[in-house]
Amino acid sequence: MTVSRVLRGGSGFSDDTRTRVMQVAERLGYIPNRLAAAFGAEQASSLVGMCVPRLTSGLFGHVLDGVDRALTRLGFQLMIGANNHATDEEEAWVRQLVSWRPAGVILSGRTHSPGTVDLLRKTALPVVEIWDLTTSPIDMAVGFSHHDCGAEMGLHLIRRGRRRAGFVGALARADVMGAARLDGFRAALAQAGHPLTDAEVLHDAPGFYAGYYGMETLLSRRANLDAVYFHNDEMAIGGLAFCQARGLRVPEDIGIAGWGGMEAASILPRRLTTTMVPTTAIGKAAAEALVARLTGAMVPEVTVVPTRLVPGETV
Amino acid sequence: MTVSRVLRGGSGFSDDTRTRVMQVAERLGYIPNRLAAAFGAEQASSLVGMCVPRLTSGLFGHVLDGVDRALTRLGFQLMIGANNHATDEEEAWVRQLVSWRPAGVILSGRTHSPGTVDLLRKTALPVVEIWDLTTSPIDMAVGFSHHDCGAEMGLHLIRRGRRRAGFVGALARADVMGAARLDGFRAALAQAGHPLTDAEVLHDAPGFYAGYYGMETLLSRRANLDAVYFHNDEMAIGGLAFCQARGLRVPEDIGIAGWGGMEAASILPRRLTTTMVPTTAIGKAAAEALVARLTGAMVPEVTVVPTRLVPGETV
DNA sequence: AAGAAAAAAGTTATCGATAACATAGACCGT
DNA sequence: ACGGTCTATGTTATCGATAACTTTTTTCTT
């Protein structure tokens, strides 16, 4: 017990004892067994789980980074998983995670299987849902509205005089967040009296290639489009590449807009019109909300981290 | 014990008992406590730790993805950390990880603090070092030689008639792998009789901006360069953007080469000359080597996953 | 110096899964 | 019916940290 007290930095031991314990621990190369500590203790462990749609997404890399930095600073360890936009994969992962008795969980998105919600409610684990806001989170939510992002961009295109806008997405599986942007975009255009002309949604990873070929497909169907809103910046850059290859002038012949605020988007020959998403800030806020909840602090149910539409030179 | 046997799918129980156990487990929403299992058992847990330089790197995102997919399939959970290219941060992370008594560790790079190596040796944990090959790994290594990548690109530039080559890097902290590429590049050029003209190494994150401004700096010092090799593709694209902004023709006036095989690099107006790195394959191979070692199979100490120089249209 | 109070150190029980061992029951051939 | 063999089920001890409690030692007060 004295050793345990010293190593955890509590009180109830003399300086002399502390020194001796430290020396022996050092000499033996003693490494505490967190497994035993977490197992025995009634209280929360220092393990946090986080599930992202895909580990290869540039945006989520930054979110992960924000979460990891915050958690490391606060003395937590991060366990990650990917759900590939499938709620059943997420449920399988959450089930595994819960068996490790973590202190909390960070999920991405607002859509979860009933089993996942049930499980998390039953275990009463602190949960932060990030990325897409929901008004009734399982526990806490940190993010922004994808619907509003789409609507804002729709309005922006209208204001810039665009009248025949299209959309190119790559909603692999059920990427409901990309779909929410499309919904918002469509709604804003309709409200302005110039409804969405056409949408091409590929069943593919949302990368440069998908943008390139999605643009090609869309233009082959509707040659008279004057703007295209892409699922994300990578796809928009792919679309831009297609325009250059075809000799289409941007923004004179056609406007291009992306989403996500990829670094490359601001350094292209023409700065891409896009929406900046504060990825790292979201990760940081999510980690801090989780830890605050653990320490018993009051935490707002929903934290809005605003996005910012950046008018570039492509619309 | 009967319940434990049933849930782990062993033998020594009747079909009737299995059914009853399953039903009750289902009804109670029973979730096994892996903490207790991993704690009590002498044998390895189903936890694997992985440390990457930065979570925001596109390449490492793919490596993580490869590792995660393979481990999930094999029934393991992944704990991650970032070392920001600092061996002491890596050591701190490894120390935390080891206290969770994981089944194995995946580290990136061949450079580790003596404390890290000591700790891993002492705990006799299976270790896979990925990304940069070493001839004497702590335990196992999966990757390729960065030095060779640089040398190969040096030779390629020489063969394409380039005689005054420069290098632009962004070796944040101690990115020894980028430095290894520069070493190989420099050696190959020197051997061919046309030594490296100049190198600009920024202390910054290796992204588009750094490439753009690194190129600007390098050209302001040496206007007569006929080729520049970049730390990675993102920086090369940044450099390319600078050339376009300045009206420099690529590859006529100056050649540009990158590294990493970023997806965007193959869809740019001019396909970037770069080196493709089989990121996902490395992750998969690392995970499989680790698990093979755990099951007692013979595992080669060093697994070479070859890179491929892709001649594009920028040199 | 005696006794109270505080500080330091020690003891026991606990968490849940499971290895190792023990027992109960089923089924067999003779 | 009896021992032998096999299968199904049960019992005990264990892993390491630590909460809760007890005992020992030190310090302080009058």
Side-chain angles (χ1 to χ4, degrees):
Chain A
M1 272 317 294
T2 299
V3 170
S4 174
R5 281 190 269 253
V6 169
L7 292 177
R8 277 183 306 153
S11 64
F13 49 84
S14 63
D15 277 0
D16 177 55
T17 307
R18 190 221 310 280
T19 313
R20 268 194 305 146
V21 167
M22 291 309 215
Q23 277 174 353
V24 175
E26 173 70 23
R27 185 162 54 76
L28 297 176
Y30 169 79
I31 293 166
N33 188 336
R34 264 171 199 274
L35 237 36
F39 162 57
E42 242 349 85
Q43 72 214 38
S45 76
S46 62
L47 191 66
V48 169
M50 172 158 182
C51 194
V52 297
R54 302 181 307 132
L55 285 167
T56 53
S57 149
L59 290 181
F60 274 103
H62 284 270
V63 177
L64 268 177
D65 188 53
V67 169
D68 183 59
R69 280 176 200 278
L71 287 183
T72 300
R73 188 167 48 77
L74 296 165
F76 288 78
Q77 300 278 125
L78 186 59
M79 203 179 249
I80 57 162
N83 61 30
N84 300 302
H85 293 290
T87 55
D88 57 330
E89 287 192 42
E90 181 179 76
E91 180 172 343
W93 179 82
V94 168
R95 211 164 278 281
Q96 294 282 317
L97 179 77
V98 167
S99 74
W100 284 101
R101 304 291 187 267
V105 192
I106 300 175
L107 299 177
S108 34
R110 63 202 288 183
T111 316
H112 314 285
S113 70
T116 304
V117 177
D118 235 48
L119 187 59
L120 293 173
R121 284 255 161 77
K122 209 150 38 184
T123 52
L125 233 45
V127 179
V128 183
E129 289 165 272
I130 63 161
W131 208 236
D132 193 10
L133 277 190
T134 164
T135 45
S136 56
I138 300 177
D139 184 17
M140 293 169 282
V142 174
F144 54 91
S145 161
H146 288 254
H147 190 278
D148 291 358
C149 281
E152 192 182 13
M153 188 58 83
L155 206 57
H156 181 72
L157 296 190
I158 294 291
R159 288 213 181 109
R160 306 286 286 198
R162 307 291 162 164
R163 294 295 175 259
R164 293 179 307 281
F167 178 89
V168 172
L171 316 179
R173 299 230 195 174
D175 181 344
V176 288
M177 294 177 271
R181 294 198 292 277
L182 172 53
D183 282 350
F185 185 61
R186 180 180 270 137
L189 294 181
Q191 176 145 24
H194 304 287
L196 185 71
T197 302
D198 200 357
E200 168 67 12
V201 177
L202 290 88
H203 291 276
D204 200 354
F208 298 95
Y209 288 121
Y212 190 97
Y213 294 111
M215 188 70 171
E216 182 170 33
T217 308
L218 195 65
L219 285 178
S220 71
R221 283 209 304 264
R222 312 274 178 173
N224 66 340
L225 287 176
D226 63 5
V228 176
Y229 181 34
F230 285 82
H231 176 84
N232 65 19
D233 283 359
E234 273 138 304
M235 291 188 69
I237 294 171
L240 219 44
F242 177 80
C243 291
Q244 282 190 295
R246 277 296 167 89
L248 282 167
R249 290 170 307 158
V250 175
E252 294 83 356
D253 298 334
I254 192 163
I256 300 279
W259 180 86
M262 190 186 171
E263 200 192 336
S266 57
I267 207 168
L268 288 169
R270 293 197 177 279
R271 203 150 42 79
L272 183 68
T273 295
T274 186
T275 303
M276 300 283 288
V277 179
T279 47
T280 314
I282 289 176
K284 184 164 179 281
E288 286 170 354
L290 197 68
V291 175
R293 162 69 43 98
L294 287 172
T295 58
M298 281 296 295
V299 183
E301 210 185 33
V302 174
T303 305
V304 180
V305 183
T307 58
R308 195 160 49 83
L309 193 154
V310 182
E313 300 151 43
T314 58
V315 171
Chain B
M1 274 315 294
T2 298
V3 170
S4 175
R5 280 189 271 254
V6 169
L7 291 176
R8 278 184 305 153
S11 64
F13 49 83
S14 62
D15 276 1
D16 177 55
T17 306
R18 191 222 308 279
T19 312
R20 267 195 306 148
V21 168
M22 291 309 214
Q23 278 174 352
V24 174
E26 172 69 25
R27 185 162 55 77
L28 298 176
Y30 170 79
I31 293 166
N33 188 334
R34 264 171 199 274
L35 238 37
F39 162 57
E42 239 356 82
Q43 72 215 37
S45 76
S46 62
L47 191 66
V48 170
M50 172 158 183
C51 195
V52 298
R54 302 181 306 131
L55 286 167
T56 53
S57 149
L59 290 180
F60 274 104
H62 281 89
V63 177
L64 267 177
D65 188 53
V67 169
D68 183 58
R69 279 174 200 279
L71 287 184
T72 300
R73 189 168 46 77
L74 296 164
F76 289 78
Q77 300 278 124
L78 186 59
M79 202 178 249
I80 58 163
N83 61 31
N84 300 303
H85 293 290
T87 56
D88 57 329
E89 287 191 39
E90 180 179 77
E91 180 171 341
W93 180 82
V94 168
R95 211 163 279 281
Q96 293 284 317
L97 180 78
V98 167
S99 73
W100 285 100
R101 304 292 188 266
V105 192
I106 300 175
L107 299 177
S108 34
R110 63 202 289 184
T111 317
H112 314 286
S113 70
T116 305
V117 177
D118 235 48
L119 187 60
L120 293 173
R121 283 255 161 75
K122 209 151 34 184
T123 52
L125 231 44
V127 179
V128 183
E129 288 165 273
I130 64 161
W131 209 236
D132 193 10
L133 277 189
T134 164
T135 46
S136 56
I138 300 177
D139 184 16
M140 292 169 284
V142 174
F144 55 90
S145 161
H146 287 255
H147 191 276
D148 290 359
C149 280
E152 192 183 13
M153 188 58 82
L155 205 57
H156 180 72
L157 296 189
I158 294 291
R159 288 215 180 106
R160 305 285 288 199
R162 308 288 163 165
R163 294 296 175 259
R164 293 180 307 283
F167 178 89
V168 172
L171 315 180
R173 300 234 192 171
D175 180 345
V176 289
M177 295 176 268
R181 293 199 290 278
L182 172 54
D183 282 350
F185 185 62
R186 180 179 270 134
L189 293 180
Q191 176 145 23
H194 304 287
L196 185 71
T197 302
D198 200 358
E200 168 67 13
V201 177
L202 291 87
H203 292 277
D204 199 355
F208 298 94
Y209 288 121
Y212 190 97
Y213 294 111
M215 187 71 172
E216 181 170 35
T217 308
L218 194 67
L219 284 178
S220 72
R221 284 208 304 263
R222 311 275 178 172
N224 66 341
L225 289 176
D226 64 4
V228 176
Y229 182 34
F230 284 83
H231 177 83
N232 65 18
D233 283 0
E234 272 139 304
M235 292 188 67
I237 294 170
L240 217 45
F242 178 79
C243 291
Q244 282 191 295
R246 278 296 168 89
L248 282 167
R249 289 170 308 157
V250 176
E252 294 82 356
D253 300 332
I254 192 162
I256 301 280
W259 180 86
M262 191 188 170
E263 200 194 336
S266 56
I267 207 168
L268 288 170
R270 293 196 175 280
R271 204 150 41 81
L272 183 69
T273 294
T274 187
T275 303
M276 300 283 288
V277 179
T279 47
T280 314
I282 289 176
K284 184 164 178 281
E288 286 170 354
L290 197 68
V291 175
R293 161 70 42 98
L294 287 171
T295 59
M298 283 294 296
V299 183
E301 209 185 32
V302 174
T303 305
V304 180
V305 182
T307 59
R308 195 161 48 83
L309 193 154
V310 182
E313 300 151 41
T314 58
V315 172

